[in-house]
DNA sequence: CTCGTAATCTGATCACTGCTTAGATCATAT
DNA sequence: ATATGATCTAAGCAGTGATCAGATTACGAG
């Protein structure tokens, strides 16, 4: 006879995450509904609730996969240890690359119902881990900094990198380029050079009170 | 006999915007529904659709009021003309102040269904106006820059300011401060000083290709 | 091999959402 | 006074997140 369609799925949880990532990559997290998700996974509308208590929890699971991948890329860069300047530069470009590859996933991670009106604790945790990575790279360049200075330098670095990637993600920077990709790369390279330099300059006078 | 309740409202459109701003300020744009809006304005669920074709259009009208206020504050700062360093510094702090006063409105303006998955043309327009303001302030400091350099400096400046404000708005920076407001202000001041300095330094070597 | 238990899935249902539409009400100009 | 057009109500549509009773299946204990 015909192939018996399984009633119990192989691993519905993993299927849902797979389907979810595909949907988000294609259309963003805004239009994603539990019903569409279930339909794409070939399952009834209520089934996903046996694997995730909430829609929010499901989105959080997807976001976590994104943060994990980002973390792996970042810690790999730091592990293969070049000079501090090289490490910071590569970290910046790695974030831009991730944002370019999966812009809609980055939206989910940083700008979604998971971050508004109040941010989810898990995302705060992920962010602290990334903060520690950046701070470590900066402290490699300037050993023995006071706590406040290290914080200020890390925050300034991350603000510029995140801000730029975020604006690019919104499509708020391309329209300014009349000469296309060329100048687009030029700003980015200049911004990275500036930001890395500012994070690493030995002159600490700006941070003393 | 009793007071005749008016059937036609005085100015429902303005009332809706007022009510909308109050709701967003209190709870954010996420939970705002046309029905709640109508109820708060004392009107039937379908009434708002005679003044705004869409929910999106309504949100856009609210966002535009925010951009207009921001623009007025910014152009006032530039009009009262101090040194370029003072102007850029005050512009940065003005944006932080606006974000601190109306964080939920800033969410609506920069991180909402109006900016995702694709950004609304009106917001791009508003952003270009603000970009021109910043660029002008930077060009006051360094006259006669090449186009690419002016762009790169402006983009880098705006990226850092926006990125920092955005992270603060998400509550992603406070948790890092163990000593409260003091160090919080310290990072911010250091970031502004760094960013303004980088935007204005005469050394153009970083921008030549 | 049987059978009970727990996990999984279906299908119906609830309150809520954005939006549409027919018809009632009102202001205003002629 | 009356007609025109703007405004509003009330009902209803499809789609949403979430719940739940009952059907189906896997699996371990006897």
């Amino acid at each position: 006879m015909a192939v018996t369609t399984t009633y119990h799925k192989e691993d519905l949880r993993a299927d849902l995450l797979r389907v979810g990532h595909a949907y988000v990559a294609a259309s963003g997290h805004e239009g994603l509904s539990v019903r569409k998700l279930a339909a794409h996974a070939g399952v009834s509308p209520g089934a996903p609730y046996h694997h995730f208590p909430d829609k929010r929890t499901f989105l959080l699971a997807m976001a976590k996969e994104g943060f994990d991948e980002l973390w792996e890329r970042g810690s790999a860069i730091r592990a293969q240890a070049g000079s501090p300047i090289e490490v910071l530069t590569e970290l910046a470009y790695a974030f831009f690359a991730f944002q370019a590859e999966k812009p809609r996933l980055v939206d989910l991670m940083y700008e979604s119902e998971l971050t508004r009106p109040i941010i989810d604790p898990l995302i705060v945790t992920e962010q602290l881990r990334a903060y520690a990575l950046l701070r470590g790279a900066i402290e490699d360049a300037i050993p023995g900094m006071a706590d406040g200075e290290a914080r200020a330098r890390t925050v300034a670095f991350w603000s510029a990198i995140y801000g730029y990637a975020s604006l690019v993600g919104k499509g708020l920077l391309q329209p300014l380029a009349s000469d296309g990709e060329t100048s687009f790369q030029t700003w980015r390279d200049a911004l990275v050079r500036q930001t890395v330099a500012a994070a690493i300059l030995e002159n600490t006078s700006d941070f003393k009170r």
Side-chain angles (χ1 to χ4, degrees), chain A:
Chain A
M1 265 300 301
V3 185
T4 60
T5 58
T6 56
Y7 186 84
H8 282 234
K9 289 296 225 175
E10 185 92 16
D11 186 357
L12 181 55
R13 199 192 128 96
D15 279 357
L16 290 170
L17 287 171
R18 235 189 316 277
V19 168
H21 274 110
Y23 189 98
V24 166
S27 315
H29 64 90
E30 307 270 52
L32 179 58
S33 76
V34 177
R35 294 171 128 91
K36 288 180 195 166
L37 202 64
H40 279 108
V43 98
S44 80
Y49 287 90
H50 291 270
H51 298 272
F52 302 94
D54 262 341
K55 183 188 179 184
R56 185 187 181 85
T57 306
F58 173 75
L59 294 177
L60 207 57
M62 286 211 299
K64 175 144 179 49
E65 294 190 341
F67 281 114
D68 285 344
E69 183 178 346
L70 203 49
W71 170 256
E72 278 166 29
R73 295 195 192 185
S75 50
I77 287 172
R78 192 151 178 241
Q80 76 183 33
S83 75
I85 290 182
E86 285 168 3
V87 170
L88 284 170
T89 303
E90 283 187 44
L91 286 176
Y93 282 118
F95 189 72
F96 296 157
F98 187 78
Q99 135 79 35
E101 286 171 35
K102 313 186 176 181
R104 300 277 108 83
L105 181 58
V106 172
D107 286 345
L108 174 59
M109 290 159 62
Y110 289 97
E111 297 179 9
S112 69
E113 58 185 83
L114 301 176
T115 63
R116 274 184 333 261
I118 56 162
I119 196 160
D120 191 280
L122 178 78
I123 295 187
V124 174
T125 302
E126 294 289 341
Q127 210 58 19
L128 283 174
R129 185 166 67 153
Y131 169 85
L133 180 70
L134 286 181
R135 176 166 167 156
I138 291 175
E139 282 175 329
D140 285 347
I142 315 176
M145 272 185 294
D147 188 50
E149 179 177 345
R151 283 184 183 174
R153 298 187 109 111
T154 309
V155 167
F157 182 84
W158 174 232
S159 291
I161 300 305
Y162 171 74
Y164 177 79
S166 178
L167 290 171
V168 170
K170 294 186 207 304
L172 231 26
L173 259 30
Q174 291 98 323
L176 306 178
S178 57
D179 44 352
E181 283 302 311
T182 312
S183 81
F184 194 59
Q185 279 179 230
T186 305
W187 319 332
R188 199 190 52 197
D189 294 344
L191 179 133
V192 170
R193 253 178 281 132
Q194 253 187 51
T195 306
V196 169
I200 268 182
L201 276 181
E202 283 286 353
N203 176 7
T204 63
S205 64
D206 280 340
F207 298 96
K208 302 229 179 82
R209 51 160 290 92

